[in-house]
């Protein structure tokens, strides 16, 4: 394909096809925020048995793997990301037997289960921390980062936490500060301590031995900090907004060179299993060069690393194409990209990228499903679910509470999944109160969209099914094609082209030779389907074109 008046050649060299065919390369992942997915016992909180009850839906949609947000016991200072026991299930979510049953039931439907691993910090209620803080001579004192105050009583260095405020809290009983890059209730583990590393070997094996297919690893780029605890340098005007907001560059708290040895070690353990277990890293980094480094040599570190520059990009052709091309260029041979537009920490793609317009949500979803790499959908993406506006008194996220009203926090994207148009969207029983208020389920829900051939859900299912049938889409190389401003087109493998119009105007593209036919359009069936020399894309329309051989 070429576009009006442009040369035939693409703008970037083709990338290599996948070297091996692990299930997660061709597969589609789906993030389940467990508290808000499906409540089986009417306590208003989603649970493992609720997920069990929805596995057939996920299989119908064409999901290959689910990632569960933390289900381990937690006092919920940060909604599960403050772990009190790494090898158990919080009773609110069920039991270990439920988890085992979920893994078996998912496997029998051809799906895999990944869970969240939170190695940077524990809860302050974890027995390790309780013991560690009990005295300076405690056996596990070294599991955490304990440091004397400066002579004036102030914290040992200038580090600020990711949720604002100093990253240090003084423990009056023992007179030392402990490090926490998130809430004071989330003390950072000391990854310079060999016993911490050994403890985590046991933890990862505990889950992998029971059939868990892998981990999404929380803030995996931050777990090892500077051994000398040097001050972070001040941010400058040229630094990204977030660094300017915190007043410093996280030079000594993030992306330390020593973190790679930990990830490489886990990869060696993961590769001992059959099939090898998956390491999906939360790599919230600014630079794509840094992102690429977390893949190691392409085979020896993370299997998949979340691409935050892509996630945080405006929904515009130029910036998205630049990020994808650069990612394709930088990732080491053998590695595999991952594309996502939503998660439990950021505003949903249907709000942030699509401004609530279903046609734009369809386009964003088509993009995720047709780039070279593994797409990760967040629960609700498939129905174009938008964020829910909440009042101050409804906010439960500690970050929202801290920064309100400048920032509402993360609850708007964590609201319960609307399954039907009935009370509470069928998330919990009608007489119960969901832990977090949901939006109006009559406006957007799974049941209604399943019955509506024009819905976002039915479009996503069709796109997933096309992806499964078309080897170009699962494993073909990526090559950008020249296209008019406001649009973005690329070729996958020898015979598939994807063209997106990310603008409010119709765009003409020409397809000289070989012509093809439209395999899928975000705008529904098209007359005839066959293409002559070109195609007029409607505003915010995306198409997949199968080229004639
Ligand atoms: C990233 C998680 O996604 C987020 O929800 C959490 O608050 C922080 N890490 C701390 O664990």
């Amino acid at each position: 394909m070429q576009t009006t008046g442009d040369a035939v050649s693409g703008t970037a060299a083709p990338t290599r096809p996948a070297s091996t065919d692990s299930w997660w390369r061709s597969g589609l992942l789906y993030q389940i925020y467990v508290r808000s997915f499906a409540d089986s016992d009417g306590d208003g909180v989603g649970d493992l048995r609720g997920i069990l009850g929805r596995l057939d839906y996920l299989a119908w949609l064409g999901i290959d793997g689910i990632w569960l947000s933390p289900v381990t016991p937690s006092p919920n200072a940060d909604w599960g990301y403050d772990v009190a026991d790494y090898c158990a299930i919080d009773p609110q979510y069920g039991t270990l037997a439920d988890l085992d049953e979920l893994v078996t039931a998912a496997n029998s439907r051809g799906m895999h289960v990944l869970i969240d691993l939170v190695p940077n910090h524990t809860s302050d209620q974890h027995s390790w921390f309780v013991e560690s803080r009990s005295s300076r001579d405690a056996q596990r004192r070294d599991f955490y980062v304990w440091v004397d105050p400066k002579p004036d009583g102030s914290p040992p260095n200038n580090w600020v936490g990711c949720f604002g405020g100093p990253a240090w809290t003084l423990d009056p009983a023992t007179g030392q500060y402990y490090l926490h890059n998130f809430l004071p209730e989330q003390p950072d583990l000391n990854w310079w301590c060999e016993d911490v590393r050994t403890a985590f070997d046991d933890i990862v094996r505990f889950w992998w031995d029971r059939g868990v297919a892998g981990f999404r690893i929380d803030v995996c780029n931050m777990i090892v900090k500077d051994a000398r605890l040097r001050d972070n340098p001040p941010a400058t005007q040229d630094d990204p907004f977030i660094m300017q907001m915190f007043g410093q560059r996280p030079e000594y708290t993030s992306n330390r060179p020593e973190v790679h040895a930990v990830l490489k070690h886990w990869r060696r353990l993961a590769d001992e299993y059959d099939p090898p277990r998956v390491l999906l890293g939360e790599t919230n980094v600014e630079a794509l060069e840094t992102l690429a480094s977390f893949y190691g040599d392409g085979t020896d570190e993370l299997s998949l690393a979340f691409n935050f520059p892509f996630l945080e990009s405006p929904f515009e052709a130029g910036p998205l194409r630049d990020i994808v091309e650069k990612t394709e260029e930088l990732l080491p041979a053998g590695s595999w990209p991952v594309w996502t537009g939503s998660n439990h920490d950021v505003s949903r793609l249907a709000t942030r990228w699509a401004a609530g317009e279903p046609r734009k949500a369809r386009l964003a979803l088509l993009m995720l499903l047709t780039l070279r790499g593994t797409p990760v959908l967040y629960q609700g993406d498939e129905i174009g679910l938008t964020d829910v506006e909440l009042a101050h008194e409804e906010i439960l996220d500690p970050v929202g509470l801290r920064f309100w009203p400048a920032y509402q926090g993360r609850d708007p994207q964590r609201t319960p999944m609307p399954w039907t148009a009935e009370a509470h969207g069928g998330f919990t029983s009608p007489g119960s109160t969901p832990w977090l208020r949901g939006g109006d389920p009559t406006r957007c829900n799974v049941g209604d969209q399943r019955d509506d051939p024009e819905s976002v859900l039915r479009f996503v299912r069709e796109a997933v099914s096309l992806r499964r049938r078309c080897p170009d889409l699962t494993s073909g190389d990526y090559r950008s094609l020249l296209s008019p401003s406001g649009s973005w087109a690329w070729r996958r493998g020898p015979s598939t082209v994807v063209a997106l119009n990310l603008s409010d105007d119709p765009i003409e593209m020409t397809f000289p030779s070989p012509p093809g036919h439209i395999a899928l359009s975000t705008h529904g069936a098209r007359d005839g389907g066959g293409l002559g020399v070109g195609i007029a894309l409607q505003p915010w329309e995306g198409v997949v074109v199968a080229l004639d051989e």
Side-chain angles (χ1 to χ4, degrees), residues 31 33 67 70 78-82 116 118 120-121 162-163 181-183 186 216-219 282 284 308 343-345 397-399 410 414:
Q31 179 190 356
Y33 191 72
W67 143 37
D78 187 21
W79 300 109
Y81 286 96
D82 45 324
D116 227 297
V118 188
N120 181 69
H121 45 267
C162 302
F163 291 163
N181 269 289
F182 294 90
L183 299 173
Q186 293 168 294
R216 175 268 191 185
I217 311 172
D218 194 60
V219 289
E282 190 205 12
N284 190 347
F308 277 75
N343 65 40
H344 63 293
D345 292 329
D397 174 24
V399 187
R410 302 164 295 177
R414 296 177 175 182

Side-chain angles (χ1 to χ4, degrees), residues 21-99:
D21 193 24
S22 322
W23 70 266
W24 45 268
R25 286 178 183 259
S26 52
L28 166 61
L29 298 182
Y30 184 95
Q31 179 190 356
I32 295 185
Y33 191 72
V34 180
R35 284 189 86 72
S36 291
F37 192 63
D39 172 21
S40 73
D41 58 7
D43 64 356
V45 174
D47 48 47
L48 295 174
R49 301 210 74 80
I51 301 171
L52 259 167
R54 299 289 174 179
L55 282 183
D56 286 335
Y57 163 71
L58 297 171
W60 170 84
L61 188 56
I63 302 300
D64 299 284
I66 53 179
W67 143 37
L68 311 183
S69 55
V71 286
T72 37
S74 168
N76 285 328
D78 187 21
W79 300 109
Y81 286 96
D82 45 324
V83 176
D85 182 350
Y86 285 98
C87 295
I89 299 290
D90 192 299
Q92 277 206 306
Y93 301 127
T95 61
L96 263 180
D98 292 333
L99 194 274

